[in-house]
Amino acid sequence: MVSRSVGGTALTDLRAGFAGDVITPGDAPYDQARTVFNAMIDRRPAVIAQCETERDVAEAIRFGRAGGLEIAVRGGGHSVAGMALTEGGVVVDLRRMHTVVVDPGRRTARVGGGAVMSHLDRATEPYGLATTGGRVSTTGVGGFVLGGGSGWLDRRFGLASDNLLSAELVTADGRTVRASEEENPELFWALHGGGGNFGVATSLTLRLHPLPEVTAALLMWRPEAGPDVARVYRDFLESAPDEVGGGLIYLTAPPEEFVPADMAGKLACAVLITYAGGMQEMRDVAEPMLDMDHDAEMITELSYADLQCMLDDPPGYRNYWSAEYLASFPDPAVDAFCARAADLLVPSPSQHVLFPQGGSVTRGSGDHPIPWRRAPWVVHPFGLWEDPADDERVRRWAHDVRADVGPWSTGAVYLNFIGHEGEDRVVAGFGPDNHRRLAAVKAEYDPGNVFRLNHNIRPG
């Protein structure tokens, strides 16, 4: 329920001047409004402020602070740790603020703070333009970009944060602040990886790139072929052009026409090749993988927006993810990675993933607080399951994966890929020097640490 220190009058006043909706326990939309992507998260906020405007955002923050209530900020609601919700506090829900305005001449998009990837991708699609997005269509743009932003196109166009041109934030004291290379440049630097620590991002302006066509190839093998496939894939990516993205993925083979019936529902080793170009170009480039004796194949040209939906994670599952960034992927690391795939929960949507980096990711700004961009590989155990009895099993599997590849780890980590894993992992997400600099920015814009439901940077 609402904190005693707030009282009914404060809630009435908030509703009176609010353009959106203010939802409390007992209201019909409450349970739906508090549901997030990870079914493990079951928190009951006192107030869910579904904002329509920047003024709504500022008023919701003031309401929460006046009542001594913890404040959560919700965009896409995809945080594996459920950081978009608070128990007994206020949720600043941005989902109604999802407008995307494309300027095809300037090749930019102005994206509302509550937009998800499908809003952005469908808006840019008619112009043959795109920018690096998350690997599923339901990811929130704001949290994705401000956390760094790794996706299918990052080897070609850089990380999502590399394409951030400006941002508008509502700060803890209710002010609207704009950050760009010219305005508040230190804050702008901090927004390249520092996440939601500094304010509520109500809009982002992103650089777009011409992308008239995309080709995707999904190849599958029975799991015993995995180590050989992984070695060929590693060697292929080390010389592949920037247009190539994708990953090596152990997963449950789907019951699709292109999958042999005896493989469906069982563990398989797959390679997804995404290519920023046409099918024939992709076939020429990906010849080393296509020439392997695979058991299933699906190759298609499609729009980038459709590619983003291709591996959408189904809602309603319990989730646990982690990651380890690797300085190299030699044969012993290949063997360790592939051996652990046997512990993957099958059948389920869980995935045991190796993503490549390199290309424009590595060439991006070394000044940004993103030390993990220099790693050529990332191992990403991605658990989704239904039965609470499997909770500990999946958590243990994820951390066993990290331990297996630990000898080749850089120590850095992309925080969007993990939940709560301790203060040391937060520091590893930025590097010690960057973390101290970020703490100084935090002290300027949020000295009271109002925005702490995130991979938190305490004010320096």
Side-chain angles (χ1 to χ4, degrees):
M1 300 299 292
V2 178
S3 168
R4 288 182 184 177
S5 62
V6 172
T9 301
L11 185 60
T12 299
D13 290 346
L14 175 66
R15 283 187 165 129
F18 212 75
D21 286 331
V22 176
I23 299 172
T24 58
D27 293 337
Y30 178 77
D31 282 332
Q32 183 177 2
R34 71 183 182 90
T35 299
V36 291
F37 181 77
N38 186 354
M40 295 180 75
I41 309 302
D42 183 20
R43 297 182 188 138
R44 299 183 64 83
V47 175
I48 301 173
Q50 295 186 326
C51 302
E52 296 268 9
T53 64
E54 284 187 355
R55 183 180 181 278
D56 281 355
V57 173
E59 290 302 314
I61 294 170
R62 290 189 185 107
F63 172 86
R65 295 194 69 184
L69 298 173
E70 186 174 61
I71 294 174
V73 181
R74 176 169 186 160
H78 250 262
S79 158
V80 69
M83 298 174 188
L85 285 183
T86 170
E87 184 67 39
V90 177
V91 175
V92 181
D93 189 337
L94 303 177
R95 284 178 290 174
R96 296 187 179 187
M97 301 174 66
H98 62 250
T99 301
V100 178
V101 179
V102 178
D103 185 331
R106 290 186 171 88
R107 294 181 181 169
T108 62
R110 190 173 188 271
V111 185
V116 298
M117 285 300 153
S118 61
H119 293 130
L120 173 58
D121 298 334
R122 296 299 178 190
T124 61
E125 183 179 21
Y127 304 101
L129 298 171
T131 196
T132 301
R135 293 178 174 90
V136 295
S137 67
T138 55
T139 300
V141 176
F144 171 75
V145 173
L146 300 183
S150 168
W152 301 129
L153 297 179
D154 56 15
R155 284 172 44 85
R156 179 68 181 89
F157 299 134
L159 299 172
S161 58
D162 295 336
N163 292 285
L164 178 64
L165 299 174
S166 66
E168 291 184 0
L169 281 75
V170 177
T171 60
D173 59 4
R175 293 179 297 131
T176 296
V177 175
R178 189 173 187 275
S180 67
E181 288 186 353
E182 295 78 28
E183 298 177 78
N184 300 301
E186 188 69 358
L187 174 61
F188 188 59
W189 170 84
L191 296 178
H192 288 75
N197 274 283
F198 314 103
V200 180
T202 54
S203 76
L204 307 174
T205 299
L206 303 174
R207 181 186 298 109
L208 303 177
H209 307 268
L211 188 69
E213 55 189 349
V214 176
T215 305
L218 182 61
L219 312 175
M220 290 188 186
W221 293 261
R222 287 168 173 80
E224 55 268 22
D228 289 338
V229 172
R231 288 180 175 87
V232 173
Y233 181 72
R234 173 197 63 197
D235 297 344
F236 161 61
L237 255 296
E238 286 178 352
S239 60
D242 294 356
E243 286 79 5
V244 173
L248 174 78
I249 310 168
Y250 281 92
L251 44 63
T252 300
E256 300 288 349
E257 289 186 6
F258 70 94
V259 177
D262 67 318
M263 289 182 66
K266 298 178 181 177
L267 182 66
C269 177
V271 166
L272 175 65
I273 300 170
T274 62
Y275 186 78
M279 184 179 294
Q280 189 55 54
E281 295 174 12
M282 187 281 297
R283 285 187 176 275
D284 292 341
V285 167
E287 186 176 358
M289 299 308 308
L290 296 173
D291 281 352
M292 291 196 74
D293 189 17
H294 46 272
D295 298 298
E297 172 187 299
M298 188 275 292
I299 302 177
T300 183
E301 285 187 4
L302 70 172
S303 71
Y304 175 60
D306 287 340
L307 170 65
Q308 291 286 75
C309 302
M310 188 174 174
L311 294 179
D312 270 2
D313 312 318
Y317 282 85
R318 305 172 79 79
N319 279 246
Y320 191 82
W321 325 325
S322 193
E324 204 68 47
Y325 280 72
L326 308 185
S328 62
F329 194 52
D331 286 351
V334 170
D335 293 337
F337 173 79
C338 294
R340 187 61 65 178
D343 293 341
L344 189 69
L345 194 63
V346 174
S348 82
S350 295
Q351 299 175 6
H352 182 47
V353 185
L354 173 76
F355 285 132
Q357 294 205 126
S360 295
V361 177
T362 302
R363 293 193 297 271
S365 175
D367 179 56
H368 293 161
I370 305 177
W372 45 270
R373 76 187 310 148
R374 301 299 181 222
W377 302 100
V378 54
V379 169
H380 184 32
F382 191 92
L384 296 95
W385 68 101
E386 293 182 285
D387 189 348
D390 288 320
D391 287 1
E392 183 54 36
R393 173 185 172 185
V394 178
R395 286 194 191 98
R396 185 172 61 251
W397 162 73
H399 289 286
D400 285 345
V401 171
R402 286 188 55 212
D404 290 344
V405 298
W408 302 278
S409 172
T410 68
V413 63
Y414 173 38
L415 296 175
N416 281 358
F417 270 179
I418 71 171
H420 292 304
E421 295 187 6
E423 178 71 14
D424 288 349
R425 288 280 268 175
V426 174
V427 175
F430 308 116
D433 292 342
N434 286 329
H435 187 264
R436 285 189 287 271
R437 184 175 169 187
L438 288 164
V441 180
K442 176 78 169 181
E444 180 176 356
Y445 290 93
D446 184 18
N449 204 12
V450 170
F451 304 116
R452 59 183 176 271
L453 290 181
N454 44 41
H455 292 293
N456 192 232
I457 302 164
R458 291 191 292 272

